[in-house]
């Protein structure tokens, strides 16, 4: 576990790098992991000239790492050393900036996943009602929401691991709004949920949208999406964005039909996969 002084120094480095690159080098999950319990997470701090010059975080649960180097210390091999610290893990390049592309190419890393950010403006609230959509109730819905999430995202490398601890940590965040977590149910339990997030600057986010496999293909995703967007608009948001796997074509199509367009890309780079004799 990190001591609070190190956490502060890492947060400062993140701010410096974000200002220089116009891109956040650590995602929300990695920022939360700085002060988390540390399960599956390792931290590598690289100091030079009395300051924190680089940081890498490895996450064996996700099989991924995130690393960043202070703009004043780049092109001196620090990034490569940190990459050695998280060897075996694939590395996120948020924004897929030219430096990360060059760095990945230099280490023979190739694209493993591509995460899209999609966005659209939000119309003023219509005042419309959404039949069967109600707010989440922790006491009765928490277990079902986690089971539904695991079933809907059984193919997803990170989201399928979303646990009660993850749920509780996010519900304890200042942005959490119980009215912005909407669910639907049938006689057998929850059929879907749309967790919206309102950022401090007012922007809205489709944080998690999931429908149970037994209810997929019935228009439920579209209804839950619309209900969440209505909630965000009613809360004062004028734009909304979301993250989606480029390979999740059904979801990308749902969002394109709802007026979202791709505005940003994050790429996960990993060691080049070589074909084994079994693949031939
Ligand atoms: C990407 C990053 C980690 C590289 O850190 P670094 O300490 O400069 O990397 P290194 O000095 O070890 O670079 C190793 C090689 O990567 C390549 N490389 C690094 N930066 C590059 C750039 N801006 N343009 C092109 N190639 C680059 C070069 O081949 C370099 O070798 P060289 O300097 O001898 O030409 C750093 O720019 C950074 O923190 N960026 C923001 C966070 C980020 O994108 N992280 C994801 C990395 S996949």
């Amino acid at each position: 576990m990190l001591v609070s002084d190190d956490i502060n120094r890492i947060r400062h480095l993140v701010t410096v790098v974000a200002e220089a690159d116009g891109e956040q080098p650590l995602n929300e999950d990695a920022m939360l992991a700085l002060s988390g319990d540390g399960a599956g997470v390792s931290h590598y701090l690289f100091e030079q000239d009395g300051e924190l010059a680089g940081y890498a975080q490895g996450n064996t649960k996700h099989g991924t790492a995130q690393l960043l180097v202070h703009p004043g210390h780049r092109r001196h091999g620090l990034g490569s050393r940190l990459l050695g610290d998280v060897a075996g893990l694939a590395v996120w390049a948020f924004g897929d900036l030219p430096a990360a592309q060059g760095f990945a190419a230099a280490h023979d890393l190739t694209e493993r996943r591509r995460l899209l950010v999609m966005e659209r403006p939000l119309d003023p609230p219509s005042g419309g009602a959404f039949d069967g959509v109600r707010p989440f109730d922790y006491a009765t819905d928490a277990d079902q929401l986690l089971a539904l999430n695991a079933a809907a995202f059984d193919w997803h490398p990170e989201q399928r691991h979303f646990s009660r601890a993850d749920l509780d940590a996010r519900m304890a965040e200042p942005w959490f709004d119980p009215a912005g977590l909407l669910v639907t149910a049938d006689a057998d339990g929850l059929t879907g949920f749309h967790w919206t997030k309102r950022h401090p600057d007012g922007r809205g986010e489709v944080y998690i949208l999931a429908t149970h496999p037994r209810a997929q293909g019935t228009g439920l995703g579209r209804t839950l999406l619309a209900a969440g967007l209505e909630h965000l608009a009613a809360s004062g948001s004028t734009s909304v964005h979301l993250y989606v796997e480029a390979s999740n074509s059904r979801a990308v199509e749902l969002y394109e039909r709802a007026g979202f367009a791709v505005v940003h890309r994050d790429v996960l780079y990993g060691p080049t996969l070589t074909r084994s004799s079994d693949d031939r």
Side-chain angles (χ1 to χ4, degrees):
M1 250 173 102
L2 292 166
V3 297
S4 66
D5 187 43
D6 282 341
I7 296 173
N8 289 337
R9 290 184 333 138
I10 295 165
R11 286 188 179 143
H12 177 70
L13 178 66
V14 166
T15 307
V16 171
V17 168
E19 274 171 13
D21 294 342
E23 185 69 44
Q24 286 296 333
L26 294 187
N27 67 11
E28 181 198 43
D29 196 56
M31 290 300 279
L32 285 171
L34 294 177
S35 49
D37 64 5
V41 176
S42 43
H43 308 273
Y44 304 91
L45 286 75
F46 195 103
E47 292 192 29
Q48 202 151 55
D49 306 331
E51 72 173 338
L52 186 63
Y55 168 71
Q57 183 181 114
N59 188 318
T60 51
K61 198 168 74 171
H62 296 154
T64 62
Q66 301 177 29
L67 64 92
L68 56 145
V69 173
H70 190 290
H73 293 274
R74 289 183 183 171
R75 304 304 288 264
H76 295 295
L78 260 65
S80 303
R81 288 188 59 168
L82 288 165
L83 188 66
D85 289 332
V86 294
L89 301 175
V91 187
W92 276 113
F94 300 112
D96 196 26
L97 300 175
Q101 291 176 6
F103 182 74
H107 290 283
D108 203 20
L109 305 176
T110 49
E111 181 171 325
R112 288 284 187 77
R113 281 171 62 195
R114 180 168 284 254
L115 198 57
L116 306 176
V117 181
M118 301 180 79
E119 194 176 278
R120 59 159 275 188
L122 267 183
D123 305 324
S126 66
F130 295 89
D131 271 356
V133 180
R134 63 165 174 84
F136 172 76
D137 177 347
Y138 188 90
T140 56
D141 297 336
D143 286 341
Q144 286 185 45
L145 182 133
L146 293 171
L148 192 164
N149 176 84
F153 288 107
D154 64 347
W155 55 276
H156 195 288
E158 286 125 20
Q159 191 59 33
R160 69 192 161 120
H161 294 299
F162 193 81
S163 65
R164 182 169 291 258
D166 293 325
L167 176 66
D168 291 346
R170 278 147 185 84
M171 290 181 71
E173 287 283 297
W175 58 262
F176 178 69
D177 171 11
L181 175 44
L182 301 167
V183 302
T184 50
D186 63 13
D188 295 325
L190 289 195
T191 49
F193 70 94
H194 181 182
W195 193 344
T196 64
K197 175 172 179 177
R198 201 157 177 271
H199 291 257
D201 60 8
R203 289 176 313 133
E205 180 180 339
V206 176
Y207 189 55
I208 312 175
L209 174 66
T211 55
H212 196 281
R214 74 172 187 276
Q216 281 170 10
T218 62
L220 189 58
R222 220 168 28 239
T223 302
L224 277 163
L225 177 63
L229 298 188
E230 173 75 7
H231 167 77
L232 287 168
S235 315
S237 293
T238 54
S239 78
V240 59
H241 63 275
L242 58 88
Y243 295 81
V244 62
E245 296 284 335
S247 61
N248 188 357
S249 46
R250 282 179 61 180
V252 172
E253 201 173 303
L254 169 70
Y255 296 132
E256 277 172 347
R257 284 198 186 146
F260 286 83
V262 176
V263 293
H264 193 85
R265 289 159 187 83
D266 296 330
V267 173
L268 182 69
Y269 287 104
T272 306
L273 298 170
T274 48
R275 287 165 70 93
S276 74
S277 53
D278 295 344
D279 297 330
R280 290 195 196 109

